[in-house]
Amino acid sequence: MAGRLSWSPSRGDMIWIDCSPQVGREMKDVHPLLVLSPREFNVRTGIVIGLPMTTARYNETNPFAIRFVGPKGAVSYILGHQPKSFDWRARAAKPHPWKQVPEDTFGLACETLNQIILIGS
């Protein structure tokens, strides 16, 4: 149990998080989330900012979904158009077995989000 108490999500990590309750077209239930916010922020605020992930194949044609292939050929999609912030402690977030997305995939996810909200130049 001590290891669980000391764990906290970090930028680039994949975590499991409960997205419910949801409204409209938002994701619901437990899904992987690509963490965008740094560990220091996540620990201090108890909030994690990230992009939800899914294996739903209809995202193959979604221009805002970043496709990547995980271990053993599993295809997943990072939804660059649905940034979320969650209280990761209250939602009992936990590490995903894939640990992190590849660095190039993380960069592409950040670029996709930036194309929508134009934070960086």
Side-chain angles (χ1 to χ4, degrees):
M1 188 67 164
R4 172 73 176 128
L5 293 175
S6 64
W7 175 81
S8 57
S10 187
R11 179 176 280 144
D13 284 355
M14 286 177 61
I15 64 171
W16 287 110
I17 198 155
D18 188 348
C19 300
S20 295
Q22 58 73 240
V23 176
R25 299 189 60 163
E26 296 173 348
M27 293 181 79
K28 64 180 178 177
D29 300 325
V30 176
H31 280 276
L33 183 81
L34 171 60
V35 177
L36 301 177
S37 50
R39 174 177 279 123
E40 296 78 16
F41 172 87
N42 302 334
V43 170
R44 181 165 181 127
T45 66
I47 300 292
V48 66
I49 300 170
L51 298 172
M53 301 171 65
T54 183
T55 57
R57 295 273 181 199
Y58 61 79
N59 283 294
E60 190 69 37
T61 59
N62 178 346
F64 305 110
I66 298 89
R67 182 184 191 270
F68 77 99
V69 180
K72 300 181 183 175
V75 176
S76 288
Y77 303 90
I78 301 165
L79 303 181
H81 64 297
Q82 290 194 34
K84 307 282 185 199
S85 64
F86 292 116
D87 183 322
W88 61 273
R89 292 180 182 120
R91 290 179 182 264
K94 60 185 178 185
H96 190 281
W98 292 2
K99 309 248 186 265
Q100 293 193 321
V101 298
E103 196 172 309
D104 59 333
T105 302
F106 180 80
L108 186 55
C110 291
E111 287 175 26
T112 301
L113 177 59
N114 191 49
Q115 288 173 6
I116 298 167
I117 61 175
L118 295 172
I119 282 184
S121 54

